[in-house]
Amino acid sequence: MKVTIDNLDGTGAVDYSAAVCADGPLKIERVLNAPSRCSGLLDVGDVALAVPVRRGRVVATSASGTVLFTGYVATEPEAL
């Protein structure tokens, strides 16, 4: 799965796939008559990426290129 996030800083979409934690893999929830949700954990310290910002645009695609989720970072990121 490929995950890109555009932090709206002028650099465009950045690939965060290497930062997705195995302890908290991405989970996409779809419920009838409700917005879809994508949740998971990122470890940006090991791969020297910027911490995603609230309202950053998120796109998750499969290995074959199928778009699985598009949306925005809904809350401020939390450090664990």
Side-chain angles (χ1 to χ4, degrees):
M1 179 180 300
K2 181 176 180 180
V3 178
T4 60
I5 301 175
D6 183 349
N7 286 317
L8 308 174
D9 57 3
T11 59
V14 176
D15 188 353
Y16 278 76
S17 302
V20 176
C21 293
D23 295 340
L26 290 184
K27 179 179 177 185
I28 299 172
E29 298 175 64
R30 292 186 174 87
V31 178
L32 186 63
N33 298 325
S36 296
R37 291 183 64 171
C38 180
S39 60
L41 298 175
L42 296 176
D43 184 358
V44 295
D46 288 345
V47 289
L49 291 169
V51 175
V53 297
R54 186 170 183 225
R55 297 191 179 117
R57 180 168 164 66
V58 179
V59 178
T61 56
S62 69
S64 66
T66 303
V67 176
L68 304 172
F69 176 84
T70 61
Y72 296 90
V73 178
T75 60
E76 295 294 332
E78 296 179 20
L80 297 175

